[in-house]
Amino acid sequence: MKRRSIATTLILLVALALSAVLGFEAWYTSKSLERALIQEAFDGLHRTSDTIKRGLRYAMLHDDNHAVTESIRTFGQQEGMDGIRIFNKDGEVMFSSWEQELGNRVDVTADACKGCHSSGRPLAELTAHERTNIYVGNDGVRRFQVIEPIYNERDCSTADCHAHSADRKVLGVMESAISLGRIDREISRRRAGVLGVTGVTIVFVSLLIYLLTRQLVLRPIRRLLEGTRVIASGRLDHRIPVRLKNELGQLAESFNTKIGRAHV
């Protein structure tokens, strides 16, 4: 049976231990980075969505559909935005940055709608996090979506133009979405960097362990083996050189002492 050297065994054990520890650290770092970037996108999209809704308030109160349409088109064309839609209480698209969607009804079973509709609770009771959703579009790109309720304010329920009943709490919702393509690419780039550093670290530490083991362990052991072979051949006057002041050095001294007594 082929023997495996101490250095090889030690390097394999160290490499496995490092791979486990650094692999977990790389995974945790990658996940922490992803959470941080998603949280940053979450905060930014909520601020943007709230700003858009406030910017549309005056035009909606005055039933100025043209102003609402142009504003949504302008906001939707901003860098990073992937689309804006306003639905009425029946799920019909009333305004959208994509004109071809106007008049369509939303499919509540679609991935983009599960975030709110799967909870089974009224939209007004959902927290900001519950009104967000990450889904994969038909193009395979992840999207981050936030739903902002359009509440029935007093100015709206008492307006002459298109007054709504005061007992209706939510008139509709505004959906804003951004593409996570850029964030996913950044996550992939940084993840590759972390994995690269992890791999280099494992190789470097394993090589360092090998060199140290070779110098401090293998060479003294080889001298001991060579000395025992020489003595076994009949040369009882041979002495093993002692160059280390550790356990291996003590072993060589003890061996020399024993052979010296036996030779006498």
Side-chain angles (χ1 to χ4, degrees), residues 223 226-228 230-231 235-241 256 259:
R223 285 195 292 267
E226 290 171 359
T228 56
V230 172
I231 293 172
R235 292 180 53 188
L236 298 180
D237 59 339
H238 179 75
R239 295 295 179 268
I240 299 172
N256 289 336
I259 294 300

Side-chain angles (χ1 to χ4, degrees), residues 78-235:
Q78 288 184 354
E79 183 180 2
M81 292 299 301
D82 197 59
I84 302 172
R85 295 186 291 183
I86 293 181
F87 303 91
N88 62 13
K89 63 180 182 63
D90 297 319
E92 182 180 352
V93 180
M94 304 301 297
F95 303 96
S96 175
S97 53
W98 298 297
E99 294 184 2
Q100 64 272 21
E101 289 188 334
L102 295 176
N104 293 345
R105 288 186 181 273
V106 66
D107 180 9
V108 297
T109 63
D111 289 340
C113 302
K114 290 180 179 178
C116 292
H117 288 278
S118 61
S119 66
R121 294 157 54 201
L123 181 63
E125 296 180 4
L126 300 182
T127 64
H129 278 279
E130 291 174 322
R131 287 188 279 105
T132 59
N133 183 32
I134 295 178
Y135 66 96
V136 180
N138 295 329
D139 55 359
V141 177
R142 290 202 308 167
R143 286 174 170 78
F144 194 70
Q145 168 202 63
V146 62
I147 298 296
E148 288 285 349
I150 300 176
Y151 294 106
N152 186 15
E153 300 179 5
R154 182 177 182 279
D155 291 342
C156 191
S157 62
T158 59
D160 296 330
C161 57
H162 58 305
H164 300 284
S165 173
D167 59 358
R168 184 183 300 174
K169 191 171 185 179
V170 178
L171 301 179
V173 297
M174 184 183 74
E175 175 201 74
S176 304
I178 59 172
S179 171
L180 292 178
R182 181 185 61 82
I183 291 178
D184 286 341
R185 288 191 296 271
E186 179 67 15
I187 291 173
S188 297
R189 185 184 68 82
R190 297 195 186 185
R191 183 177 295 161
V194 171
L195 292 177
V197 171
T198 300
V200 171
T201 302
I202 291 173
V203 172
F204 175 77
V205 173
S206 299
L207 180 60
L208 181 62
I209 293 295
Y210 169 76
L211 294 175
L212 292 175
T213 303
R214 182 181 178 183
Q215 182 67 27
L216 300 177
V217 179
L218 290 184
R219 287 185 177 180
I221 289 177
R222 284 172 183 164
R223 285 195 292 267
L224 282 171
L225 291 175
E226 290 171 359
T228 56
R229 291 192 186 102
V230 172
I231 293 172
S233 67
R235 292 180 53 188

Side-chain angles (χ1 to χ4, degrees), residues 246-262:
N246 55 19
E247 288 82 355
L248 291 174
Q250 293 175 2
L251 178 61
E253 288 180 350
S254 299
F255 190 81
N256 289 336
T257 302
K258 183 176 181 179
I259 294 300
R261 291 174 181 173

